[in-house]
Amino acid sequence: MREDAPRGGRPMRTRVVRVGGWSVRWEPRPALVCGALALVAVSAAVLVVGSGEFPIGPLDVVRALTGQGDQATEFVVTTLRLPRAVTGLLAGLALGLSGAIFQSMSRNPLGSPDLIGFTTGSATGALLQILVFGGGAVAITASSVAGAVLTALAVYLVAHRPGGGVHGVRLVLIGVGAAAMLEALNSYLITRAELREAYEAAFWLTGSLNGRGWEHAVPLAVALAVLVPAALALGRRLGMGELGDDAAQALGVPVQRTRTLLVLAGVGLVAAATAAVGPVPFVALAAPQLARRLTRRAGAQLLPAALTGAMLLACGDLISLHLPVAIPVGVVTGVLGGVYLAWLLAATGRRGMP
């Protein structure tokens, strides 16, 4: 073990594990935090699987998952409830990781896909399919992904300056403007729709895990199998980018190419999550900041942020299932996220930040 230079005022203790010709550098505290977050997220998911009109104890859930339960319990667990819990974990992981990418790129704690238009663009694509074209579940998913990608492309092109690339703050400001315009379009689409279609669209916009099956979980898992390793592989370059473009280029980082790849990965993550569960608010905003405070490390904490997002969405789903009135998980995360956003704005104001 060795003690590196302080980061953010705290010494960073690291360990190096050598296996053959390879060496892996890791830090005990972030590793413990990741383990704890994963444990809480999985525990919440187990409780979600056990919740419902036919309650199942946590031990019985585990037995059913390992093939040791009775036939009726295994059917309820693996067929009816497990897809919902898995979809929630994967969507939370995707949102947390996407939020960490965009907050680090913009060097702004408010630079999450919730606020810079990408989630709203995904919702617009789905609404057009629901209210205008009348497509089915597959078409709605495809339109949701297309909406996020097209919004990101438009924001990126407008934010791009010839010879200067894309600056993080400029990307956020233009994204906020795009989000406002898309929100207005979404409201217009709902007001022009028939009552049944408007109800369906409004329910989708709240973000929900109700009725989620393996047809939602499997495509999301496939997308994450590609995007998560790609994002984590770019994590070191992302951290260097927080030093500023000039410093990152001096360290050998191809800034604009890295930024383009990170935007693609981040947009893909939020699009996949939104297509699966709808625009669940504030998870992408809160998860990266909570991860930084738990790990006590500055810079892009991609894996802790991803696990924090999974924990937040799983816990939000558990809360929604145990309220007196059943409500979508997006309402729970919206309430909790609103409180967090107010606290964040107050904290940044006390520090004299704009």
Side-chain angles (χ1 to χ4, degrees), residues 14 30 47 68-69 104 111 136 150 168 170 188-189 195 213 224 237 241 252 328 342:
T14 62
L47 294 176
Q68 299 177 0
S104 179
L150 291 175
R170 182 178 172 86
Y188 174 77
L189 290 173
L195 182 61
L224 264 61
R237 294 183 182 182

Side-chain angles (χ1 to χ4, degrees), residues 2 7 36-37 39 50 61 74 89 106 111 120 126 128 189 213 254 272 274 293 311 338 347 354:
R2 70 169 185 258
R7 181 185 299 176
L37 290 170
L39 179 61
V61 171
E74 288 187 9
L89 288 174
S106 62
T120 311
L128 287 172
L189 290 173
T274 305
R293 284 161 174 78
M311 180 202 69

Side-chain angles (χ1 to χ4, degrees), residues 197-315:
E197 294 175 338
Y199 175 80
E200 180 184 355
F203 183 79
W204 190 89
L205 282 175
T206 60
S208 176
L209 288 167
N210 293 337
R212 294 304 182 266
W214 291 116
E215 68 273 15
H216 301 92
V218 171
L220 181 56
V222 172
L224 264 61
V226 176
L227 295 171
V228 171
L232 294 178
L234 294 168
R236 185 169 178 271
R237 294 183 182 182
L238 181 62
M240 291 181 179
E242 291 189 354
L243 301 173
D245 290 357
D246 293 338
Q249 288 176 348
L251 293 171
V253 176
V255 174
Q256 294 307 320
R257 183 173 62 185
T258 300
R259 188 169 289 152
T260 301
L261 293 174
L262 286 168
V263 168
L264 291 174
V267 170
L269 288 166
V270 73
T274 305
V277 301
V280 176
F282 288 111
V283 173
L285 174 68
Q289 295 302 311
L290 293 175
R292 288 192 180 194
R293 284 161 174 78
L294 290 172
T295 59
R296 298 181 183 176
R297 295 289 180 262
Q301 301 294 311
L302 296 185
L303 184 57
L307 293 173
T308 302
M311 180 202 69
L312 289 175
L313 195 50
C315 291

